[in-house]
């Protein structure tokens, strides 16, 4: 399939992606609701679109309820109707960090006997938007607006030291995450505000009123917030040991990403 736009900032299309996508696999999977769905190939690799295309979106878009067989994808529920011309779209910061991958492993080992079916998140990211449904003919201008709003901004560093447990709005899934340190909140918030403005222009849902920027790195089914918080101290001390004296890790944010259907767009910061 041809790329829709070809910005300097880079755009790529992935022909091999799976049928649906979700926050934990945002950067590798696509949800091109405008295309017929390919056959599910890998068990366990399929995400839950309920969290991606939350049920509240069904009221404001052409997406309708459609439940499939949860057993086919690690118990996660898919809840949307495939509608030609509607593309799942989201804006995020892709995170590549070996240090974080190591910490992911540490946490997974610590929790292995406590939580069944704990999954690692392969495509680590910081969300700057919800997943919205964009009509195919609007993608070009939407991406152009993002480019104009984001590319003039300076790159910056952020740090992380605090763990936090999140659930999706339906409380069907729980995420273990590193929360962006308070001192860097404003920088990310400014980016999110730019994205929010564009969402408003396109009559799409804005990000959370009370945003909490984070990198989810493990997830499990159900609402396990209370349970995980009971083990929080143990988890935190394992993380601190792995992090060493600084008890923090940092990332340089150099670009913002957007995925629309199976198209990837990258906006370089200055
Ligand atoms: P993410 O790692 O960005 O995919 O987010 C994981 C989950 O955190 C999503 O399902 C969000 O719905 C959830 N979440 C809950 N509260 C918030 C919040 N205040 N800000 C951002 N995400 C949130």
């Amino acid at each position: 399939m041809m790329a829709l736009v070809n910005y300097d900032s880079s755009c790529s299309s992935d022909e091999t992606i799976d049928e649906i996508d979700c926050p934990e696999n945002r950067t590798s999977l696509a949800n091109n609701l405008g295309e017929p769905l390919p056959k599910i190939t890998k068990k366990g690799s399929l995400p839950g679109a309920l969290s991606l295309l939350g049920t509240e979106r069904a009221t404001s878009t052409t997406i309708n309820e459609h439940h499939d067989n949860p057993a086919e994808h690690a118990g996660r529920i898919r809840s949307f109707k495939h509608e030609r011309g509607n593309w799942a779209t989201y804006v995020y910061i892709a995170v590549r960090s070996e240090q974080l991958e190591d910490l992911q492993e540490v946490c997974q080992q610590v929790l292995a006997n406590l939580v069944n079916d704990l999954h690692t998140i392969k495509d680590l990211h910081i969300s700057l938007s919800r997943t919205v449904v964009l009509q195919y003919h609007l993608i070009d201008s939407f991406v152009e607006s993002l480019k104009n709003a984001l590319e003039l901004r300076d790159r910056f560093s952020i740090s992380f030291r605090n763990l936090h447990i999140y659930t999706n709005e339906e409380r069907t899934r729980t995420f273990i995450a590193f929360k962006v340190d308070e001192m860097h909140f404003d920088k990310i918030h400014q980016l999110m505000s730019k994205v929010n403005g564009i969402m408003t222009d396109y009559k799409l849902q804005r990000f959370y009123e009370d945003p909490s920027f984070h990198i989810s790195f493990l997830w499990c089914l159900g609402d396990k917030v209370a349970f995980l918080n009971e083990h929080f101290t143990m988890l935190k001390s394992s993380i601190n040991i792995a992090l060493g004296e600084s008890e923090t890790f940092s990332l340089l944010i150099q670009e913002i990403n957007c995925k629309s259907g199976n198209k990837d767009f990258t906006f370089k910061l200055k």
Side-chain angles (χ1 to χ4, degrees), residues 3 9-10 19 25 32 48 87 99 110 125 134 139 161 165 174 180 182 191-193 199 211 236-237 239 265-266 269:
S9 45
S10 105
E19 62 163 301
N25 275 330
N32 174 0
W87 291 52
Q99 196 179 13
V110 168
H125 63 272
L134 192 61
I139 295 174
R161 70 198 76 211
I165 315 295
T174 303
V180 172
E182 217 44 53
L191 292 173
M192 182 217 72
S193 298
M199 293 298 179
K236 181 71 183 134
S237 49
I239 289 277
F265 304 92
T266 305
L269 301 180

Side-chain angles (χ1 to χ4, degrees), residues 23 51 125 127 166-169 175 207-208 210-212 214 216:
S51 58
H125 63 272
S127 295
Y166 295 83
T167 58
N168 59 349
E169 288 185 308
F175 300 85
F207 203 49
Y208 293 81
D210 182 16
S212 174
H214 61 270
S216 299

Side-chain angles (χ1 to χ4, degrees), residues 14-61:
D14 182 350
E15 302 292 344
T16 62
I17 40 197
D18 266 314
E19 62 163 301
I20 50 178
D21 113 318
C22 68
E24 80 274 11
N25 275 330
R26 279 189 158 184
T27 57
S28 72
L29 299 172
N31 187 351
N32 174 0
L33 302 179
E35 295 297 318
L37 295 176
K39 202 168 180 292
I40 295 170
T41 49
K42 277 184 281 172
K43 272 197 179 180
S45 64
L46 291 176
L50 187 63
S51 58
L52 184 155
L53 299 168
T55 47
E56 80 280 4
R57 257 177 233 118
T59 56
S60 57
T61 70

Side-chain angles (χ1 to χ4, degrees), residues 2 14 27 73 79 89 138 152 155 171 197 231 242 246 248:
M2 276 173 56
D14 182 350
T27 57
H73 35 84
S79 178
T89 301
L138 294 175
L152 290 175
R155 55 184 67 181
R171 305 190 83 83
H231 296 89
S246 65
T248 179

